[in-house]
Amino acid sequence: MKMRRRKRVSKSRNNDSSHSPSSAYSLWLYLLTLIGVNALAYSNSFEASWHFDDLPNIIGNPSVQMTSWSWNGLVEALSSRTGGVRPVAYLTFAINYYFSGQEVFSYHVVNFLLHALNACLVLVLVERLLELAYRDLKRRDRALLSFLTALLWSVSPLHTQSVTYIVQRMNLLSAFFYLLSVVLFVEWRRRQPSMPRHLLLGAGLLTGLLAVLSKENALVLPVTILLVDYYFFNKCTVPRFSSRTWLIAILAMTAVVWVLAVGYDVPERIAVGYRARDFTLEERLLTQPRVIVFYLSLVLWPLPSRLALYHDFPHSVSLWFPWTTLLSLVSLLSLLIVAWYFRRRFPVSSFFVVWILLNLSIESSFFPLEMVFEHRTYLPSIGLFGGGLALVASWIRTGGPYLRRRAILSATLIPLALASGYMTWQRNETWRDEVTLWSDNAAKYPNSFRVWTNLGSSLANEGDSLGAENAFKRSISLNPEYSGSKVNLALLFLNQGKTDEALHVIEEVSADKLPPSLYYNLGVIYGRTGQLNKAIENYRKAIWYSHQGQYPEAAFNLALIYLKIGNYLDARLCFEYFLRIWKGEPESEYAREARLQIQQLEAVTR
């Protein structure tokens, strides 16, 4: 009986193994270089002071001021709603506060570490996508391109608003969990045997949820996941999601959006939000295409001279005015069409164009947010660097001699990254304190009354009364209808003992539709100048217009006014209300005073 000789199936070997010791060494070298360069760029940021929204979210937020490690303290931090439903971010603030109180150093350390981790995740994500899209691209080329993408992105001075501005940890955390979720999804779809697939999937879902609970703009993550599947997992590698999976995903996302809209009464919240803005819903929607083009210009040309905490951006009132409105809209649509047309030839670049617009979609939509903030570019801007370097991948695959290509690439982009890192260091000097930040902002937007008001408040807090007075007067001259600068100027005069000047200024204040804080300040001014009925009126308005009527400082001061005029019943009721809504230390001087007054007033008001 004749034996048949078995044919031995030869296994294809990839000499450019991603698991070789040299590859692992190069990866770790790139990651350490990333962290080191960013550490140098941000070396002068760790003592930068508190700024702007740091005050209501951390300094003035008792919910995150955890002084003892307890379950109630953690729950209180998770339930904070000062800046939105962001429990993960508030929990990290509470832990920071527990260890270091209001010392800024540890907060900056955490922010920097998150940024460094995000840079590492960008490197890993881009390397994986290049591998999936260009299988003939050498491992060392993928690593170099991914490193340069992460380096150029992470040292951009545009991101100082996300890293050095402490409250924007919300942005950093959301980006961290978002990127990690996408990386885990890619690993799950690649069917990597190094980790059980169900653990990869579970970790991806968990990190996606944590991203949303850090900041709401991560709600677009499911769409990003579907796009990754569409662009990079075709039938030649791993089967794409079926049409049924896509349909279920879309229906699930629609249901979640509908539940959130109904549960949080989103239409009413949007309507209320626009009442406090100086622009309408239509104006915001018309302006945002110009804002997105402005964001892209900042990513490409992030000179410190172009950066500011507050950009006084002119509003669009129609498609034709200003004329750049229609041009911006057409440009963005054209960019999207071109990206879609070349999705097969340049999949990574096409994907990252969609990534930019998708990750700007929530904060550049109909929600009544401020028109422009630089931190909104943090996650979307990855797309511009990733898409640009992915185009270079095509040149590397088809260009001239290999060593010359790598030399040209490194000699061009590494000096650019170092220059960008130096500009980041320069920009961090501006973030040193409130006065340097707002002085820089006033120099760039000298016709913004809001900027001059904030500069005046910063100067007043630093004891520069003359500088503060000049800044408030400049704000009033730019916008005589704005009450905030007038109330602040009146408080400044009052603290200097200039009672007549203070009263003269507030005579011109329109008391209609003011923010609660301004009503509170008017109450202080009227109370200290003896106009007690007006003080009572403004303290009550501060409580009425505040969130859920919770303004403990106004309630305490109102109780003192009632006590002064002999209205003991209302005084006791206000002190009791103050204790119910007070979230500060139970043994603070205000809480002790309120309890003492209630005890004394109970005998009088029975």
Side-chain angles (χ1 to χ4, degrees):
M1 188 173 181
K2 188 175 181 181
M3 295 180 62
R4 292 184 178 179
R5 188 174 182 180
R6 290 185 178 180
K7 291 184 178 180
R8 182 172 294 178
V9 179
S10 61
K11 296 181 180 180
S12 62
R13 296 182 180 181
N14 185 359
N15 294 327
D16 189 34
S17 174
S18 61
H19 301 289
S20 66
S22 60
S23 297
Y25 174 79
S26 298
L27 176 63
W28 281 108
L29 182 61
Y30 282 145
L31 292 175
L32 291 174
T33 303
L34 262 183
I35 297 171
V37 173
N38 275 279
L40 290 173
Y42 284 92
S43 60
N44 60 336
S45 70
F46 295 99
E47 297 297 334
S49 69
W50 301 103
H51 292 292
F52 206 44
D53 282 346
D54 291 336
L55 305 183
N57 282 280
I58 304 170
I59 301 300
N61 185 4
S63 296
V64 303
Q65 295 174 359
M66 189 171 65
T67 56
S68 61
W69 195 260
S70 65
W71 176 252
N72 289 337
L74 296 174
V75 171
E76 182 74 12
L78 289 168
S79 62
S80 179
R81 297 291 183 269
T82 305
V85 185
R86 301 168 183 180
V88 176
Y90 284 117
L91 179 62
T92 67
F93 291 141
I95 295 172
N96 256 138
Y97 192 92
Y98 172 76
F99 285 106
S100 57
Q102 294 183 9
E103 292 294 326
V104 295
F105 181 78
S106 70
Y107 294 85
H108 285 298
V109 169
V110 174
N111 276 26
F112 172 76
L113 291 176
L114 284 169
H115 178 61
L117 289 172
N118 287 340
C120 295
L121 286 172
V122 170
L123 187 153
V124 173
L125 177 61
V126 174
E127 197 277 337
R128 291 291 186 266
L129 297 185
L130 288 174
E131 180 186 8
L132 290 168
Y134 306 118
R135 295 196 172 274
D136 58 337
L137 188 65
K138 294 181 179 180
R139 162 73 178 177
R140 52 189 174 181
D141 287 336
R142 294 200 310 268
L144 177 62
L145 289 170
S146 304
F147 166 70
L148 291 173
T149 300
L151 181 64
L152 288 167
W153 171 79
S154 62
V155 298
S156 171
L158 183 60
H159 300 325
T160 53
Q161 192 173 114
S162 291
V163 183
T164 311
Y165 191 9
I166 294 173
V167 75
Q168 289 309 325
R169 181 180 302 174
M170 300 170 178
N171 205 32
L172 296 171
L173 273 170
S174 181
F176 170 70
F177 289 120
Y178 188 108
L179 290 167
L180 184 55
S181 182
V182 176
V183 169
L184 289 170
F185 170 78
V186 170
E187 294 303 298
W188 175 66
R189 291 290 278 140
R190 289 172 73 226
R191 303 176 186 269
Q192 294 301 300
S194 57
M195 184 176 179
R197 295 192 74 235
H198 65 278
L199 291 180
L200 285 170
L201 179 60
L205 293 173
L206 176 62
T207 52
L209 177 62
L210 291 173
V212 174
L213 295 178
S214 298
K215 193 174 181 182
E216 299 88 338
N217 57 346
L219 283 168
V220 299
L221 177 60
V223 182
T224 301
I225 296 296
L226 291 175
L227 286 171
V228 170
D229 181 79
Y230 175 83
Y231 271 94
F232 302 106
F233 294 99
N234 53 52
K235 293 182 179 180
C236 297
T237 55
V238 179
R240 283 181 184 161
F241 285 151
S242 64
S243 300
R244 179 182 176 185
T245 303
W246 275 75
L247 179 61
I248 293 173
I250 292 171
L251 290 176
M253 286 186 287
T254 304
V256 169
V257 171
W258 185 84
V259 169
L260 289 174
V262 173
Y264 287 98
D265 197 12
V266 171
E268 178 61 24
R269 287 172 179 261
I270 290 174
V272 171
Y274 275 106
R275 290 174 200 152
R277 298 296 183 192
D278 60 350
F279 51 82
T280 65
L281 169 62
E282 180 183 4
E283 288 174 341
R284 191 175 200 283
L285 292 175
L286 287 169
T287 307
Q288 284 307 302
R290 291 173 46 234
V291 171
I292 293 174
V293 172
F294 176 65
Y295 285 154
L296 294 177
S297 76
L298 288 179
V299 177
L300 289 170
W301 198 243
L303 295 178
S305 59
R306 302 188 66 210
L307 305 181
L309 176 57
Y310 177 79
H311 290 274
D312 193 13
F313 203 85
H315 307 158
S316 295
V317 296
S318 72
L319 280 173
W320 322 107
F321 189 82
W323 63 271
T324 51
T325 303
L326 181 60
L327 178 63
S328 298
L329 182 60
V330 171
S331 299
L332 293 175
L333 289 174
S334 300
L335 180 64
L336 192 59
I337 291 170
V338 170
W340 185 253
Y341 180 79
F342 286 104
R343 67 189 185 278
R344 301 192 187 282
R345 185 175 178 183
F346 304 111
V348 180
S349 299
S350 174
F351 167 77
F352 274 128
V353 168
V354 181
W355 168 288
I356 294 170
L357 300 178
L358 176 64
N359 285 289
L360 284 170
S361 61
I362 290 183
E363 291 176 313
S364 291
S365 63
F366 53 82
F367 292 105
L369 306 172
E370 286 285 358
M371 282 291 186
V372 183
F373 269 127
E374 291 167 8
H375 65 259
R376 295 174 187 166
T377 66
Y378 186 76
L379 189 63
S381 62
I382 296 170
L384 197 146
F385 293 102
L389 269 295
L391 288 177
V392 177
S394 300
W395 172 65
I396 285 181
R397 293 161 63 213
T398 59
Y402 173 74
L403 290 177
R404 188 179 69 184
R405 282 175 279 152
R406 285 175 61 91
I408 293 174
L409 189 63
S410 300
T412 304
L413 297 183
I414 290 179
L416 180 62
L418 294 176
S420 187
Y422 175 69
M423 289 191 293
T424 295
W425 189 90
Q426 281 186 312
R427 181 61 184 163
N428 280 324
E429 285 290 291
T430 304
W431 283 95
R432 185 172 65 251
D433 57 52
E434 284 277 82
V435 174
T436 57
L437 183 64
W438 287 112
S439 296
D440 172 81
N441 214 146
K444 292 166 181 174
Y445 292 98
N447 295 322
S448 172
F449 68 92
R450 286 193 176 88
V451 171
W452 284 104
T453 299
N454 290 324
L455 176 57
S457 299
S458 303
L459 291 168
N461 292 334
E462 292 295 320
D464 185 356
S465 299
L466 180 60
E469 180 181 338
N470 291 332
F472 289 139
K473 287 181 177 178
R474 177 68 180 272
S475 176
I476 294 169
S477 68
L478 290 169
N479 187 354
E481 301 300 318
Y482 181 61
S483 299
S485 48
K486 295 178 182 177
V487 173
N488 288 340
L489 180 59
L491 276 175
L492 181 69
F493 284 146
L494 197 63
N495 291 332
Q496 294 175 315
K498 301 176 180 179
T499 306
D500 293 337
E501 288 91 335
L503 290 174
H504 177 72
V505 171
I506 61 172
E507 284 176 359
E508 302 176 0
V509 173
S510 173
D512 295 330
K513 297 181 180 179
L514 297 180
S517 60
L518 292 187
Y519 282 125
Y520 174 80
N521 287 338
L522 283 172
V524 171
I525 295 170
Y526 285 124
R528 289 174 61 181
T529 55
Q531 302 183 57
L532 301 185
N533 288 333
K534 288 187 176 180
I536 290 172
E537 178 186 354
N538 282 280
Y539 281 137
R540 293 179 65 145
K541 285 182 178 179
I543 296 170
W544 178 260
Y545 290 115
S546 61
H547 179 62
Q548 297 180 346
Q550 296 192 359
Y551 204 136
E553 295 85 358
F556 186 89
N557 286 2
L558 182 58
L560 292 178
I561 297 289
Y562 282 135
L563 190 64
K564 189 172 184 177
I565 65 176
N567 188 343
Y568 300 126
L569 178 59
D570 285 340
R572 194 193 82 187
L573 292 174
C574 284
F575 279 127
E576 290 173 346
Y577 180 67
F578 164 79
L579 289 177
R580 284 201 304 273
I581 64 176
W582 176 247
K583 294 183 179 180
E585 286 294 320
E587 295 303 318
S588 70
E589 58 177 316
Y590 301 107
R592 290 199 306 268
E593 175 70 15
R595 286 194 293 268
L596 178 62
Q597 292 291 347
I598 291 170
Q599 186 178 2
Q600 294 175 352
L601 289 169
E602 281 179 343
V604 181
T605 56
R606 283 176 182 171

